Amino acid sequence: MLLAIDAGNTNVVFAVHDGHQWRGRWRIMTNAARTSDEYAVWLLTLMQMSGLRPIQITRCVIGTVVPAALYNLRRLCRDWFSTEPLVARAALDWGFAIRVDTPNDVGADRLLNALAAHTLYKGPLIVVDFGTATTFDVVDADGAYLGGVIAPGINLSIEALHQAAARLPRIGIGRPQAAIGRNTVAAMQSGIYWGYVGLIEGIVARVRAEYGAPLKLVATGGLAPLFAEGTQVIERIDQDITLEGLRLLCTRNPAPSLPSRIRAELE
């Protein structure tokens, strides 16, 4: 079985794949200071509730955009699953070209999304990920990663609006019934929601025009279903696309070996 770990700026997602299907998914808030033992107490309890045992895990893979979190996640894999994790990075075999100026600067999540999207849906396409940042990544017909767009995430924008304007409250995100808000909260909800719909449609239109050919659009992230209600440009939603990218990356790359020191300690 495979333990896949997707560490984002807001949450860390752990998931177990048995070779045929995902057997469980668990989410915890990202905290770079959280120790491997703290992860283990939480994760092993949830795995047990799903009928899974640590000894069943034969491979681990980590994709992270939070470098400070990597040390303890790697320790978790070594100490509790006796496995050296494969860490997603540009130097691995992705099966496609990374056609940007500095491949090592591309976030692992964006490459993982590109890998899974091309494998599952073929290209050319755009992957929109509604995370801490809202990213648009362009994948060529042959699977090559061409770059993309990074915009502030929805929740970041809401928080910035609240922090910068003394009289504006902190609001939740939702689809407003009308564009014209009759009160402050309704006006803010309209600006956030329809503003982001406009951002999505505008960026997708410009990318398609620049690319010069039709591009499919796949969306992921917790807010993808909400924004799909407000626009026709989102053709498909896939909430597991980053996890699928981690699984596919493992099929293309050999499992790393545990360092001899760690292996000796385990024995």
Side-chain angles (χ1 to χ4, degrees), residues 171-194:
I171 63 169
I173 182 64
R175 182 180 180 181
Q177 297 299 311
I180 301 174
R182 302 294 182 182
N183 55 64
T184 299
V185 170
M188 292 174 67
Q189 288 176 331
S190 178
I192 290 292
Y193 185 83
W194 295 115

Side-chain angles (χ1 to χ4, degrees), residues 82-94:
S82 302
T83 302
E84 181 68 14
L86 179 71
V87 179
R89 58 188 188 278
L92 295 178
D93 174 13
W94 291 87

Side-chain angles (χ1 to χ4, degrees), residues 54-262:
I55 197 171
Q56 294 175 283
I57 302 299
T58 56
R59 285 200 72 178
C60 295
V61 59
I62 300 172
T64 181
V65 296
V66 186
L70 180 58
Y71 174 79
N72 283 308
L73 290 172
R74 182 182 273 128
R75 284 292 304 269
L76 169 72
C77 298
R78 290 174 172 174
D79 295 349
W80 293 93
F81 300 100
S82 302
T83 302
E84 181 68 14
L86 179 71
V87 179
R89 58 188 188 278
L92 295 178
D93 174 13
W94 291 87
F96 58 77
I98 304 174
R99 297 178 185 153
V100 297
D101 296 338
T102 51
N104 289 330
D105 289 345
V106 181
D109 55 339
R110 302 176 71 188
L111 295 177
L112 292 164
N113 289 350
L115 173 59
H118 177 71
T119 302
L120 297 172
Y121 309 112
K122 306 306 176 185
L125 54 82
I126 304 171
V127 184
V128 182
D129 191 342
F130 294 95
T132 304
T134 300
T135 58
F136 302 74
D137 294 301
V138 184
V139 182
D140 208 350
D142 62 358
Y145 178 78
L146 303 183
V149 177
I150 301 175
I154 294 91
N155 289 317
L156 280 178
S157 296
I158 291 173
E159 187 63 24
L161 195 60
H162 166 68
Q163 292 290 342
R167 298 190 62 184
L168 294 183
R170 182 182 286 108
I171 63 169
I173 182 64
R175 182 180 180 181
Q177 297 299 311
I180 301 174
R182 302 294 182 182
N183 55 64
T184 299
V185 170
M188 292 174 67
Q189 288 176 331
S190 178
I192 290 292
Y193 185 83
W194 295 115
Y196 265 87
V197 167
L199 179 144
I200 295 162
E201 293 176 339
I203 288 179
V204 168
R206 286 180 177 274
V207 169
R208 284 174 170 166
E210 188 173 310
Y211 186 79
L215 289 162
K216 304 173 189 175
L217 194 140
V218 180
T220 191
L223 293 175
L226 177 64
F227 283 96
E229 296 176 6
T231 179
Q232 297 297 313
V233 301
I234 296 177
E235 301 169 42
R236 184 181 293 270
I237 297 171
D238 188 336
Q239 299 288 31
D240 290 333
I241 201 165
T242 310
L243 293 175
E244 281 295 322
L246 286 165
R247 184 184 68 82
L248 290 166
L249 188 65
C250 277
T251 67
R252 301 196 59 87
N253 292 270
S257 299
L258 278 168
S260 56
R261 176 183 58 82
I262 302 296

